[in-house]
Amino acid sequence: MSVSLWIWAVLMLAIAAMLAVDLFLHRDNHVIGFREAAVWSGIWIAAGLLFGVVLWVWQGGDVAGTYYAGYLIEKALSIDNVFVFALIFSYFAVPAAFQHKVLFWGVIGALVFRLVFIFVGAELLETFFWTAYVFGAFLVYTGYKMAFRHDEQTPPDRNPVVRLVRRVVPTDPAFHGDRFFARIDGKRVATLLFVVLIAVETTDLIFAIDSVAAILAITTSTFIVWTANAFAILGLRSLYFCLAGLLRRFVHLHYGLAVLLAFAGVKLILSETPVGKLPIPVTLGVIVVTIAVSILWSLRSTRGAVPDGH
């Protein structure tokens, strides 16, 4: 799928405008409640689904179906991001009023990381056929780790990048409002909120590798991969505030995500064999059924559980 530069430019401007509106509406650092988060989640999801309709009218059903498959798998994987973000915020005891700012800049970093990985990954797959086997094996292994070693979480302050930043950048071990940097005794230092941002960014960098590889198993069209990632990631902040109090009910969701990653890996490997690429309707069906089963299984297993904060 060939897309002209002016369409890319319009898309980037639209995403920048949406981010600007979101930043403006939350400039007062108020605590985001469930109702507000649900409304914004609905807006972001509607935007993502509507873009698929635009693609359907513009490029046809196959392209739109590919986009929706990528969007769904990215949206599902973003839920796992929410689990880790909740762990980071809890570990550093980040005040609720400042969490949105960290997530906002975290999303911008995520968009940049993914843009780089998408172009590099797509070029590798188009140039060297054997990279499909490498990426496929990586996804299958990642799926295995998610299914059977999901609870092996590294404490945020042991993150190598976080530790490096604390060594290199003078850091004050306290929050100073919503500021990432503050001046103490005439010296400019990073605040604890900046350390939290680094933890979020580096964690998302790891997630970006998994998610981009997963969607490249569906298509190597950089435009489709980028738009599916972008619209899924744009709603990540609202999704966090929607699900933060319900996360402990999704006890089996990681099994569903593991299946999706493994499926993407197998699909990528098969694409370079006589089997070829699996039909998009099959891919969509597997994604929808896997997500639905894992969520319903989780909710059934935790029936009667009281969400955090209630």
XYZ file of all heavy atoms in Angstrom, residues 29 95 98 101 171-185 187 189-194:
215
model
N -3.891 19.202 36.110
C -3.457 18.023 36.880
C -4.523 17.504 37.842
O -4.207 17.053 38.938
C -2.174 18.339 37.679
C -0.980 18.507 36.779
O -0.842 17.827 35.780
N -0.112 19.447 37.128
N 1.437 10.372 43.164
C 0.105 10.933 43.421
C -0.777 10.827 42.178
O -0.306 11.009 41.047
C 0.402 12.400 43.768
C 1.809 12.381 44.295
C 2.511 11.333 43.478
N -0.729 13.405 39.301
C 0.422 13.548 38.414
C 0.571 12.387 37.429
O 1.423 12.427 36.549
C 1.721 13.660 39.231
C 1.705 14.758 40.255
C 2.426 14.641 41.434
C 0.957 15.917 40.042
C 2.415 15.656 42.379
C 0.939 16.931 40.991
C 1.668 16.804 42.158
N 0.130 13.164 33.574
C 1.241 13.844 32.907
C 2.328 12.849 32.515
O 2.872 12.916 31.403
C 1.826 14.924 33.825
C 2.954 15.711 33.162
C 3.416 16.882 34.013
C 4.514 17.675 33.291
N 4.935 18.856 34.071
N 19.646 13.705 41.039
C 18.227 13.408 41.271
C 17.855 13.616 42.720
O 18.585 13.180 43.625
C 17.907 11.953 40.870
O 18.317 11.730 39.527
C 16.422 11.680 40.994
N 16.728 14.265 42.926
C 16.190 14.429 44.271
C 15.126 13.358 44.497
O 14.216 13.207 43.680
C 15.564 15.820 44.438
C 15.108 16.064 45.868
O 15.974 16.114 46.759
O 13.883 16.185 46.091
N 15.224 12.578 45.559
C 14.300 11.461 45.780
C 12.937 11.897 46.312
O 12.403 11.296 47.250
C 15.042 10.597 46.802
C 15.811 11.589 47.609
C 16.238 12.655 46.623
N 12.369 12.933 45.722
C 11.059 13.423 46.181
C 10.325 14.043 45.003
O 10.925 14.401 43.987
C 11.234 14.452 47.297
N 9.010 14.155 45.158
C 8.198 14.824 44.150
C 8.210 16.326 44.418
O 8.205 16.757 45.575
C 6.756 14.307 44.182
C 6.624 12.864 43.766
C 6.356 11.883 44.707
C 6.764 12.486 42.435
C 6.240 10.551 44.333
C 6.646 11.168 42.052
C 6.384 10.191 42.994
N 8.204 17.096 43.332
C 8.111 18.555 43.426
C 6.945 18.981 42.543
O 7.135 19.510 41.446
C 9.418 19.218 42.984
C 10.571 18.971 43.918
N 10.958 19.874 44.890
C 11.392 17.896 44.048
C 11.977 19.377 45.564
N 12.269 18.187 45.073
N 5.741 18.706 43.021
C 4.562 18.965 42.215
C 4.591 18.099 40.970
O 4.979 16.930 41.014
N 4.218 18.706 39.839
C 4.202 17.944 38.590
C 5.458 18.193 37.757
O 5.500 17.889 36.575
C 2.957 18.303 37.772
C 3.003 19.751 37.267
O 3.770 20.552 37.842
O 2.275 20.055 36.308
N 6.501 18.716 38.396
C 7.702 19.073 37.654
C 8.645 17.873 37.513
O 8.812 17.082 38.442
C 8.435 20.225 38.346
C 7.699 21.567 38.245
C 8.465 22.656 38.964
N 8.484 22.447 40.411
C 9.190 23.175 41.262
N 9.950 24.161 40.814
N 9.134 22.915 42.552
N 9.268 17.778 36.335
C 10.265 16.741 36.110
C 11.638 17.206 36.590
O 12.504 16.387 36.891
C 10.343 16.377 34.622
C 9.115 15.666 34.106
C 8.459 16.120 32.981
C 8.620 14.549 34.762
C 7.332 15.466 32.498
C 7.497 13.883 34.294
C 6.845 14.344 33.160
N 11.835 18.533 36.640
C 13.087 19.098 37.137
C 12.770 20.220 38.109
O 11.755 20.906 37.986
C 13.944 19.625 35.975
C 14.450 18.551 35.051
C 13.708 18.171 33.934
C 15.648 17.896 35.309
C 14.160 17.172 33.084
C 16.108 16.902 34.460
C 15.370 16.527 33.354
N 13.655 20.404 39.069
C 13.468 21.457 40.067
C 14.845 22.046 40.416
O 15.877 21.424 40.161
C 12.795 20.905 41.313
N 14.824 23.231 40.982
C 16.077 23.873 41.395
C 16.153 23.839 42.925
O 15.286 24.366 43.618
C 16.141 25.310 40.892
C 17.496 25.974 41.064
C 17.587 27.276 40.283
N 17.514 27.057 38.851
C 18.557 26.684 38.105
N 19.740 26.473 38.673
N 18.413 26.532 36.805
N 17.176 23.154 43.430
C 17.359 23.010 44.875
C 18.749 23.537 45.240
O 19.759 23.078 44.687
C 17.221 21.533 45.307
C 15.824 21.005 44.940
C 17.473 21.386 46.802
C 15.630 19.541 45.254
N 18.779 24.500 46.148
C 20.046 25.133 46.559
C 20.823 25.642 45.349
O 22.058 25.501 45.265
C 20.906 24.147 47.356
C 20.229 23.710 48.644
O 19.493 24.528 49.219
O 20.432 22.555 49.061
N 20.848 24.501 42.406
C 21.271 23.447 41.481
C 20.044 22.794 40.849
O 19.090 22.435 41.538
C 22.098 22.395 42.236
C 22.694 21.324 41.346
C 23.540 20.360 42.177
C 24.170 19.298 41.293
N 24.997 18.342 42.093
N 18.047 19.857 39.416
C 18.065 18.405 39.596
C 16.782 17.787 39.037
O 15.758 18.459 38.904
C 18.201 18.014 41.083
C 19.496 18.549 41.670
C 16.999 18.526 41.888
N 16.867 16.506 38.710
C 15.687 15.763 38.278
C 14.888 15.359 39.502
O 15.446 15.072 40.561
C 16.111 14.524 37.500
N 13.568 15.364 39.375
C 12.709 14.970 40.485
C 12.370 13.485 40.381
O 12.671 12.827 39.374
C 11.406 15.782 40.477
O 10.629 15.404 39.322
C 11.698 17.270 40.433
N 11.717 12.980 41.408
C 11.303 11.576 41.395
C 10.317 11.313 40.261
O 10.275 10.216 39.702
C 10.676 11.203 42.742
C 10.300 9.723 42.925
C 11.507 8.822 42.711
C 9.699 9.498 44.320
N 9.536 12.335 39.884
C 8.579 12.162 38.786
C 9.313 11.898 37.469
O 8.827 11.142 36.624
C 7.689 13.404 38.654
C 6.391 13.197 37.848
C 5.465 12.236 38.571
C 5.672 14.528 37.634
N 10.482 12.498 37.305
C 11.283 12.239 36.098
C 11.783 10.796 36.096
O 11.802 10.135 35.050
C 12.475 13.201 36.041
C 13.355 13.005 34.846
C 12.951 13.442 33.592
C 14.593 12.376 34.962
C 13.765 13.251 32.468
C 15.405 12.181 33.858
C 14.984 12.622 32.610
